[in-house]
Amino acid sequence: MTDVASPRFRFAPSPTGFFHVGGARTALYNWALAKRLGGTFVLRIEDTDEARNKPEWTQGIIDALDWIGVKRDDPTFEGPYFQSSYADEHVAAANRLFAEGRAYYCDLTSEQIQERSKQNSKPGYDGYSRDRGLEPGPGRVLRFRVPEGTTVVDDLVRGRVEFANDTIEDFVLLRGNGSPMFLLANVVDDVSMRVSHVVRAEEHLPNTPKQQMLWEALGHRPPVWAHVPVLVNEQRKKLSKRRDKVALEQFRDEGYLSEAMVNYLMTLGWAPHGDEEIVAWSRIQAEFRLEDVNHSPAFFDLKKLAAFNGEYIRAMSLDQFISACEPFLTGDVPWSPDQFDADVFRSIAPLAQTRMVTMNEIVALVDFLFLAAPIIDETAWSKTFGGDDAVAMLNDAIVAFDALTDWSADALKTTLEATGAARGLKLGKAQAPVRVAVTGRTVGPPLFEALELLGRDETMTRMRVASERAR
Ligand code: GLU
């Protein structure tokens, strides 16, 4: 895919205050390739838009990259560079293009351009000032003189894309106040950072012929291009931050595991060899090729992501699982620190582990163990105790459990099974009122193990309190 000895990839996000999952995928593509090919991953923050120049947003980008394994302290990583620091170079490049006749100044206002456009056969700027020989001056924009012919973009994902140059207007390089435009800044930075491969979102494909012309006009061979297809939602609409969940940070905070997220993002429009989709990063890095990326939009399927995450959660060792739980067990939790018991948690952890999709679910699965009384989910309560049967079942269970000499999960189960059977109830129905009485919820860890752990006294108290409440 490349004849460059030491390829240089780059990821060039514009800070937006959150890290889009599509950006994460693009970053991972660049990272995987830089790692496999022994190249470099350059991070450039495109912060020339004043409103986007917040230091915490840059930190957010670095933290998000770190979370998905694109590590700043890795020798493959270079930067971050800040586009705003290179404004002089952008302007100098523009001046050179002007001096060489590759760009010219124009003093038309946008109203005048619109007016002229109405009389022309083609919309847009018509090259009015091309031969007027204007010098720089306030309010005058510098425009690139688009040459005649055709621009062919060879794209590793899209294939060969041809653009007729007469469909491309003489685009602006410097604004009327002398500040550089994005297209120019982006190319000048790529040139000076010796970027060999531009792998980025598909939305930039229409910019590419212009940028390729700029590379050539500046005396450089254009980079290898690869435009990565957009991510779409269930309705096949492009993911949008207003409508869809797109912030990587949100997934992180809900307890998606970074390995699951990374693995899932890499399977959007690409697949590792063989039948398995759940594979380690080392395999992804070894197998990923841009040429194999599908060029149609990729469905960002939240259900599939959740399934990936569940698989990754279940694959963890107990110690890994417990440390992955830790961030969720402090801070916004219903128990106070002295109520939490690490040994009890260790005992319940394997039971919880099998039932979770995201790590933040851990709290609701175990809180009943650390609270003086369970948090009652009122909907679950009224559903369960709506009829008399459930209360009667609960009362029978109280009597039966009270008589137990062996307070073990096995004995509790056998007992409840028999008690339920006497009322003609299957185990599932028989245990529902007990579960709600003790945990406050209809879903939770396996019940009998939970009761064993909670202990006889606490279990019996909760069942009696519930029986009173449900009467
Ligand atoms: N700063 C641009 C963006 O965030 C990326 C431009 C590029 O990758 O060339 O969309």
Side-chain angles (χ1 to χ4, degrees):
M1 108 172 196
T2 173
D3 54 358
V4 184
S6 182
R8 290 171 64 81
F9 293 84
R10 74 356 170 224
F11 178 57
S14 307
T16 54
F18 73 99
F19 199 93
H20 195 289
V21 286
R25 181 178 63 150
T26 303
L28 287 169
Y29 280 10
N30 281 287
W31 183 245
L33 293 167
K35 295 292 280 184
R36 174 165 67 80
L37 299 169
T40 304
F41 172 99
V42 176
L43 173 62
R44 180 174 70 240
I45 311 283
E46 303 214 309
D47 60 344
T48 42
D49 181 345
E50 285 292 325
R52 295 181 164 190
N53 219 339
K54 299 194 180 151
E56 65 271 24
W57 286 8
T58 297
Q59 193 54 47
I61 291 172
I62 291 169
D63 291 346
L65 286 173
D66 185 77
W67 187 67
I68 55 173
V70 179
K71 302 273 181 195
R72 202 177 160 178
D73 58 6
D74 190 286
T76 306
F77 192 111
E78 191 181 297
Y81 298 110
F82 295 90
Q83 187 154 72
S84 57
S85 331
Y86 300 101
D88 290 351
E89 292 190 26
H90 308 151
V91 172
N95 290 341
R96 238 173 57 223
L97 293 171
F98 173 63
E100 291 166 4
R102 307 298 303 261
Y104 60 89
Y105 279 95
C106 176
D107 57 359
L108 290 190
T109 62
S110 42
E111 291 75 27
Q112 288 170 316
I113 293 173
Q114 251 176 27
E115 229 11 78
R116 293 184 60 82
S117 174
K118 280 185 205 149
Q119 273 115 59
N120 294 338
S121 55
K122 270 192 319 193
Y125 180 70
D126 61 0
Y128 172 72
S129 297
R130 276 190 155 211
D131 301 313
R132 288 173 62 218
L134 292 181
E135 287 300 316
R140 294 181 177 177
V141 302
L142 182 67
R143 286 183 178 272
F144 184 72
R145 191 186 296 276
V146 172
E148 288 180 354
T150 306
T151 300
V152 176
V153 172
D154 267 316
D155 189 287
L156 283 182
V157 176
R158 318 284 318 183
R160 187 186 153 95
V161 194
E162 280 190 25
F163 298 86
N165 290 5
D166 64 5
T167 61
I168 301 171
E169 67 176 30
D170 287 351
F171 51 95
V172 176
L173 301 174
L174 297 179
R175 296 184 186 86
N177 64 8
S179 68
M181 292 289 281
F182 162 74
L183 278 183
L184 172 72
N186 184 263
V187 169
V188 171
D189 288 347
D190 279 344
V191 168
S192 59
M193 292 168 195
R194 295 174 289 113
V195 166
S196 61
H197 291 69
V198 170
V199 180
R200 62 182 175 184
E202 189 179 52
E203 68 200 36
H204 293 290
L205 187 62
N207 289 334
T208 309
K210 299 179 193 167
Q211 295 196 305
Q212 185 161 300
M213 289 174 200
L214 279 176
W215 274 81
E216 283 160 355
L218 291 168
H220 295 274
R221 199 160 64 113
V224 175
W225 304 106
H227 287 87
V228 177
V230 289
L231 301 183
V232 293
N233 66 13
E234 211 157 11
Q235 288 80 41
R236 301 275 142 190
K237 295 221 174 82
K238 187 176 162 193
L239 288 191
S240 107
K241 70 172 175 187
R242 264 172 300 281
R243 191 176 45 217
D244 305 299
K245 189 161 132 185
V246 297
L248 191 73
E249 295 89 341
Q250 194 182 347
F251 290 99
R252 178 186 65 197
D253 296 347
E254 287 176 7
Y256 283 83
L257 301 173
S258 72
E259 294 82 0
M261 195 77 207
V262 164
N263 190 167
Y264 179 65
L265 287 172
M266 290 302 291
T267 62
L268 293 167
W270 176 80
H273 305 157
D275 296 334
E276 289 162 49
E277 281 190 303
I278 299 208
V279 295
W281 173 257
S282 54
R283 259 193 69 188
I284 292 174
Q285 197 179 293
E287 293 178 11
F288 178 72
R289 302 278 185 287
L290 284 167
E291 293 86 339
D292 299 336
V293 172
N294 193 322
H295 54 69
S296 42
F299 173 31
F300 185 65
D301 183 351
L302 291 170
K303 290 199 192 84
K304 192 164 170 195
L305 170 61
F308 266 58
N309 206 51
E311 293 257 356
Y312 271 87
I313 290 178
R314 287 187 287 280
M316 280 191 275
S317 72
L318 180 57
D319 283 333
Q320 286 170 333
F321 177 72
I322 289 177
S323 54
C325 287
E326 261 152 24
F328 298 93
L329 298 175
T330 50
D332 188 20
V333 286
W335 56 78
S336 62
D338 58 309
Q339 286 178 299
F340 184 78
D341 182 326
D343 292 331
V344 170
F345 182 73
R346 201 177 172 80
S347 307
I348 193 84
L351 304 174
Q353 187 177 0
T354 59
R355 314 209 151 189
M356 284 162 54
V357 169
T358 51
M359 295 305 298
N360 64 353
E361 291 168 359
I362 189 66
V363 176
L365 282 171
V366 304
D367 60 0
F368 70 96
L369 287 167
F370 307 118
L371 294 169
I375 299 171
I376 306 283
D377 170 351
E378 292 299 341
T379 321
W381 178 278
S382 24
K383 225 167 77 195
T384 307
F385 291 112
D388 291 345
D389 284 5
V391 190
M393 178 62 226
L394 181 64
N395 289 336
D396 286 0
I398 292 173
V399 175
F401 284 178
D402 219 10
L404 272 179
T405 47
D406 168 24
W407 189 264
S408 69
D410 281 348
L412 286 158
K413 182 173 177 213
T414 317
T415 308
L416 197 71
E417 230 159 11
T419 317
R423 299 194 144 267
L425 296 176
K426 293 229 168 71
L427 183 61
K429 274 257 182 269
Q431 70 176 10
V434 179
R435 182 187 287 284
V436 175
V438 174
T439 70
R441 302 194 166 89
T442 43
V443 285
L447 180 65
F448 303 105
E449 283 84 351
L451 300 186
E452 180 182 325
L453 210 54
L454 188 63
R456 178 194 288 270
D457 292 351
E458 189 58 30
T459 302
M460 295 310 296
T461 305
R462 290 186 186 188
M463 286 169 71
R464 291 196 173 100
V465 169
S467 166
E468 281 297 306
R469 188 183 200 257
R471 238 168 5 123

